[in-house]
Amino acid sequence: MRKVQDVMTKDPTVINAKDSLKDAALKMRELSVGPLPVCDGDRLMGIITDRDIVVRAVSQGKDPNSTTVAEAMTEQLEYAFDDEDISVVAEKMKEKKVRRILALDRDKKLVGIVAMGDLLEALAEEDVGETLESISEAPPPAAH
């Protein structure tokens, strides 16, 4: 079985909680991503998404130039360890209804991020591999 570390985006770009929402939005545009992990040094504090910026700040009339990432980020984090099986992580994402999950090493240091699409693609490849393997191991049909 494949592990999270096999399918995750390694070393994701992060943002500081003190940065402005405008800085976060510019970084998201530059990288063409929707989520950014929020860190203070090595300490993971949360995650900010493009949706967080819109729903928690802009729609409330907050100024993206002066509102900090900390004011709009999600602090409740869903994460998986990088050595976990991807099928377990996919089930966790389904249960928690999240489309992405942060990947941590066993020291709880951020090492990657996994999108649902990454997991689905890897799981589909495994299913195809298992199906081909089972077909190639099938005994020949009995002669009548």
Side-chain angles (χ1 to χ4, degrees), residues 32-48:
S32 191
V33 298
L36 289 172
V38 181
C39 293
D40 183 11
D42 280 344
R43 191 170 137 276
L44 181 62
M45 300 177 63
I47 190 164
I48 185 87

Side-chain angles (χ1 to χ4, degrees), residues 109-134:
K109 181 182 175 220
L110 178 69
V111 293
I113 190 166
V114 181
M116 181 59 86
D118 299 329
L119 290 179
L120 293 176
E121 185 176 310
L123 288 169
E125 287 173 10
E126 282 186 7
D127 286 345
V128 169
E130 288 174 16
T131 301
L132 289 174
E133 186 177 305
S134 66

Side-chain angles (χ1 to χ4, degrees), residues 91-107:
E91 195 59 38
K92 182 180 200 176
M93 291 172 78
K94 181 180 167 185
E95 176 186 308
K96 299 289 185 178
K97 296 183 180 359
V98 294
R99 289 180 279 170
R100 66 191 65 83
I101 197 162
L102 298 173
L104 308 180
D105 64 16
R106 289 293 172 171
D107 294 326

Side-chain angles (χ1 to χ4, degrees), residues 17-35:
K18 295 176 186 170
D19 288 342
S20 73
L21 293 181
K22 181 179 179 184
D23 293 335
L26 288 171
K27 194 174 275 197
M28 288 173 183
R29 183 181 72 187
E30 176 185 311
L31 299 169
S32 191
V33 298

Side-chain angles (χ1 to χ4, degrees), residues 1-19:
M1 282 293 201
R2 294 177 78 182
K3 305 290 184 194
V4 169
Q5 60 201 1
D6 299 327
V7 299
M8 70 185 186
T9 299
K10 293 174 174 61
D11 301 318
T13 300
V14 301
I15 193 155
N16 189 285
K18 295 176 186 170
D19 288 342

Side-chain angles (χ1 to χ4, degrees), residues 56-76:
R56 295 183 179 159
V58 175
S59 69
Q60 304 294 316
K62 295 182 180 178
D63 180 2
N65 294 303
S66 60
T67 305
T68 65
V69 167
E71 294 175 70
M73 72 182 186
T74 299
E75 293 181 53
Q76 299 287 349

